Amino acid sequence: MITRIQPGARMSEAVIHGNTVYLAGQVGEPGDDVTAQTKTTLAEIDALLAQAGTDKSKILMATIWLADIADFDAMNAVWDAWVDKANPPARATSEGKLASPEYLVEIIVVAAV
């Protein structure tokens, strides 16, 4: 069975298949700095995981895209305060051109349900 959370014409914000939930890339508010965008993004991830019946302690993998790798330390300061220290996921971080120049960070996660 496949369950789609907040489906749209182009994509769903999350898809549950079996015991795994896949989140679409989440972003913060355009115009905010990377710290604020990261906080907003992680709050949205928390909300989507809750809708899927899980939480950040069950994140298996996180992929983080930064518009500018110089923001790595600022993003990590927020991430480190948020991540479940007892259950840190596998993670990759890279610099890349995001969908809009106003987005500074995008985070994609896969979690167990």
Side-chain angles (χ1 to χ4, degrees):
M1 183 170 149
I2 297 172
T3 303
R4 299 179 192 284
I5 298 173
Q6 298 179 25
R10 179 172 291 159
M11 59 181 237
S12 296
E13 290 299 322
V15 176
I16 303 167
H17 180 255
N19 292 321
T20 306
V21 59
Y22 304 86
L23 269 60
Q26 299 300 307
V27 295
E29 293 296 321
D32 285 351
D33 67 12
V34 73
T35 297
Q37 284 194 24
T38 303
K39 287 178 183 177
T40 301
T41 300
L42 295 175
E44 185 61 27
I45 288 170
D46 280 333
L48 286 167
L49 290 174
Q51 286 181 25
T54 191
D55 62 56
K56 65 185 173 185
S57 72
K58 299 202 174 54
I59 295 175
L60 305 170
M61 176 68 189
T63 304
I64 302 173
W65 292 99
L66 293 169
D68 185 344
I69 201 69
D71 288 332
F72 186 73
D73 290 340
M75 178 278 301
N76 266 332
V78 178
W79 174 272
D80 291 345
W82 173 83
V83 73
D84 184 326
K85 306 250 185 306
N87 299 290
R91 190 186 103 168
T93 305
S94 186
E95 180 181 79
K97 192 171 190 176
L98 303 181
S100 171
E102 292 85 21
Y103 294 131
L104 305 177
V105 60
E106 181 174 0
I107 302 176
I108 304 160
V109 301
V110 175
V113 175

